[in-house]
Amino acid sequence: MTIDPSVTADAEQARQSLSTAAARNLATTTKTPPQMQGISSRWLLKVLPWVQVNGGSYRVNRRLSFVVGDGKLTFTNVGDRISVVPQELGELPALRDFDDVEVLGELARRCEQREYAAGEVIAQSGAEADYAVLIAHGKVTRHTSGKYGNEVRLKLLGDGDYFGDNALTEQEPGEWPFTARAETRVIALLLPRTAFAAVLDNSPALAEQVQAYLAQAESPRNRSGEAEIEISSGHEGEPTLPSTFVDYELSPREYELSVAQTVLRVHTRVADLYNQPMNQMEQQLKLTIEALRERQEHELVNNSEFGLLANADLRQRVQTHSGPPTPDDLDELISRRRDTRVLLAHPKAIAAFAKQCTKAGIYPDGTEYLGHRVPAWRDVPLLPCNKIPIGKDHTTSIIAMRTGEDNQGVVGLHQTGIPDEYQPSLSVRFMGINEQAIMSYLVSAYYSAAVLVPDALGILENVEIVTNGNS
């Protein structure tokens, strides 16, 4: 289509008021402050109670707990041949802290590889327990008979777990108190009792280690593994009352504050001439702080020293029953601790959980939390946290927490009142102006997190977020 120039000229001659195009040259536009797409809800920073750490470190004193060897094992493979890393055998209770690599290597070489199809029995209740089972890959369930003859599921085990290790150190072989069955294809290593005994006979160091373990096993302790406090109750007359004391850990853990820092640079010409209607320095600082807070939450979840995923007790790690997060999975996760205050999950994990609820015909209600309507399960808020990673195998984790010092939960650590404080535990310090007339500001945020007792934090692991090819 061709526009006749004479028509355009006639239209300009007919205009009786200023055009909008011309008026915009003289008008001040209505504008927004700089926007940032990377800002998330940062629920973790909101739900953690923040504790003032004046000395820069936070010591968690606990009652003395006996080491029971509840770690995960690590395996390697060459083709289809699976081997346990010899040093990892030190995670077994009887071998905890045993560091003779030659002996551990001999034990690793005596392990026998076995494969089980889904539904196959690995250990039968009542049969002789004469081997330990180390699970390299797959899921295994433990079952027992209920009061009325029905089968009761006890526990779900996954990669790196083990069972039957007590059979290695008992004087006489006992019986399996449960039935262990493969839920998926399972690759396991079996360490026979006879093989362990052969190595034990030839290693005085191993014999000494086992004797010390058996002596420790006889020490009185409660169901949490803590040194028992002797108490008498229900007595009559004047019996001699037991005497006791509460033993403490001799080397309690200390958490030091971590730091996230960056240097913000602003040219003096920008700060001098372009501060209307918005202060350039304030806007630059605002976005920088947002980025620092995002990094802070990421570290609180993923840091190898104090992050929640790395610091969850291995006894508080739960495997999904089938893959996707189901109501049964979250029930087991919540039931592992008293007073679960909050659940944190990746948004895709929350969507996968909602899909499983719909599939089961369950429609959970939300709840009010900190002024927001949020998803919930069993009245526990289920909050999104996109800092929880998703693996290449499309699996992630769901975090359950009890929070607060008074509740022996999870707490955030910071220090307020620091020099040049701009926000609590965040400082903005002027560093000077260089030869290019650029101003520099050091922006620092100090933080950490502490788990006061092991059951304050739990993790639902291997949560699949892709089902039937649909995310």
Side-chain angles (χ1 to χ4, degrees):
M1 177 179 177
T2 303
I3 300 177
D4 189 346
S6 61
V7 175
T8 304
D10 291 342
E12 288 296 330
Q13 292 177 0
R15 184 181 299 281
Q16 298 181 16
S17 62
L18 182 68
S19 69
T20 56
R24 288 179 59 189
N25 293 331
L26 301 180
T28 300
T29 60
T30 301
K31 59 182 70 67
T32 70
Q35 306 297 299
M36 181 176 176
Q37 186 175 350
I39 299 175
S40 65
S41 55
R42 297 200 294 266
W43 275 109
L44 179 57
L45 301 188
K46 299 174 184 176
V47 302
L48 282 180
W50 291 92
V51 175
Q52 173 73 357
V53 181
N54 290 322
S57 64
Y58 184 78
R59 179 179 297 164
V60 179
N61 289 309
R62 293 176 178 172
R63 282 179 58 187
L64 175 65
S65 296
F66 294 99
V67 177
V68 294
D70 54 5
K72 294 275 188 177
L73 302 176
T74 302
F75 299 84
T76 60
N77 70 291
V78 177
D80 59 357
R81 178 63 184 170
I82 307 294
S83 302
V84 62
V85 176
Q87 292 86 339
E88 288 293 303
L89 288 174
E91 295 294 342
L92 297 178
L95 302 178
R96 176 59 64 93
D97 296 328
F98 184 68
D99 55 4
D100 191 322
V101 178
E102 183 176 348
V103 174
L104 293 176
E106 181 62 26
L107 289 174
R109 284 189 290 273
R110 290 175 179 263
C111 291
E112 303 171 3
Q113 182 173 336
R114 299 284 178 85
E115 295 192 18
Y116 301 90
E120 191 172 350
V121 173
I122 301 174
Q124 181 65 51
S125 176
E128 185 177 80
D130 58 354
Y131 53 88
V133 180
L134 318 179
I135 304 172
H137 179 69
K139 290 184 179 182
V140 176
T141 52
R142 286 164 36 175
H143 304 265
T144 188
S145 297
K147 180 177 179 180
Y148 302 103
N150 57 312
E151 189 175 70
V152 178
R153 182 184 231 177
L154 297 176
K155 191 174 183 181
L156 178 67
L157 304 175
D159 299 5
D161 288 325
Y162 57 87
F163 63 90
D165 50 285
N166 289 338
L168 303 178
T169 56
E170 292 178 346
Q171 294 296 327
E172 297 293 336
E175 296 181 349
W176 291 110
F178 52 79
T179 296
R181 184 181 300 124
E183 290 295 307
T184 64
R185 175 177 173 265
V186 169
I187 302 175
L189 297 181
L190 305 187
L191 178 56
R193 174 186 170 87
T194 54
F196 185 85
V199 178
L200 184 68
D201 292 339
N202 295 321
S203 173
L206 180 59
E208 183 179 349
Q209 169 76 18
V210 171
Q211 288 176 1
Y213 163 73
L214 294 175
Q216 184 194 72
E218 296 176 357
S219 302
R221 67 191 70 183
N222 61 21
R223 63 182 181 182
S224 299
E226 299 171 329
E228 189 65 80
I229 298 176
E230 296 293 339
I231 296 175
S232 178
S233 63
H235 52 271
E236 296 180 358
E238 299 177 348
T240 301
L241 297 180
S243 59
T244 189
F245 65 95
V246 181
D247 207 355
Y248 298 139
E249 289 185 351
L250 297 180
S251 300
R253 178 171 179 179
E254 292 190 0
Y255 295 83
E256 294 186 355
L257 292 182
S258 183
V259 61
Q261 293 179 308
T262 189
V263 176
L264 172 62
R265 295 188 173 93
V266 179
H267 201 286
T268 53
R269 180 171 54 187
V270 172
D272 292 342
L273 303 180
Y274 300 97
N275 268 351
Q276 296 296 330
M278 299 177 191
N279 186 295
Q280 293 284 352
M281 179 61 198
E282 288 184 0
Q283 296 301 323
Q284 288 279 304
L285 187 57
K286 173 186 173 183
L287 298 182
T288 301
I289 291 175
E290 292 286 355
L292 271 179
R293 294 303 191 194
E294 292 289 329
R295 174 61 65 85
Q296 176 180 346
E297 186 177 61
H298 179 274
E299 292 295 306
L300 289 173
V301 172
N302 298 288
N303 188 279
S304 59
E305 294 295 325
F306 58 85
L308 299 180
L309 292 179
N311 280 273
D313 189 275
L314 292 169
R315 288 168 294 182
Q316 297 296 325
R317 297 176 183 269
V318 181
Q319 300 292 325
T320 56
H321 289 81
S322 59
T326 64
D328 289 343
D329 293 327
L330 262 63
D331 281 343
E332 182 175 357
L333 180 64
I334 292 173
S335 67
R336 289 294 184 96
R337 68 203 41 77
R338 59 175 174 82
D339 194 21
T340 301
R341 291 292 179 86
V342 68
L343 297 164
L344 292 170
H346 193 281
K348 290 187 176 181
I350 296 177
F353 174 67
K355 184 180 294 184
Q356 294 302 310
C357 287
T358 302
K359 184 177 180 180
I362 301 172
Y363 304 95
D365 294 329
T367 187
E368 292 289 334
Y369 189 72
L370 299 181
H372 297 269
R373 189 72 179 174
V374 297
W377 180 248
R378 305 295 188 193
D379 293 328
V380 179
L382 178 57
L383 305 176
C385 179
N386 63 355
K387 309 304 186 303
I388 300 176
I390 295 176
K392 294 181 180 180
D393 55 354
H394 304 289
T395 62
T396 183
S397 302
I398 295 178
I399 299 173
M401 290 192 301
R402 181 176 66 249
T403 57
E405 267 190 322
D406 295 340
N407 209 15
Q408 299 186 91
V410 182
V411 296
L413 308 177
H414 70 175
Q415 184 180 139
T416 59
I418 58 178
D420 300 309
E421 189 172 57
Y422 188 83
Q423 291 180 1
S425 201
L426 185 145
S427 68
V428 179
R429 186 169 296 176
F430 179 62
M431 299 175 62
I433 304 175
N434 66 10
E435 294 81 359
Q436 286 80 36
I438 296 177
M439 299 183 295
S440 298
Y441 294 85
L442 176 64
V443 187
S444 307
Y446 299 94
Y447 56 88
S448 188
V451 183
L452 301 191
V453 295
D455 76 340
L457 174 66
I459 308 291
L460 180 64
E461 297 184 318
N462 295 319
V463 176
E464 292 183 3
I465 59 174
V466 176
T467 56
N468 299 325
N470 299 319
S471 60

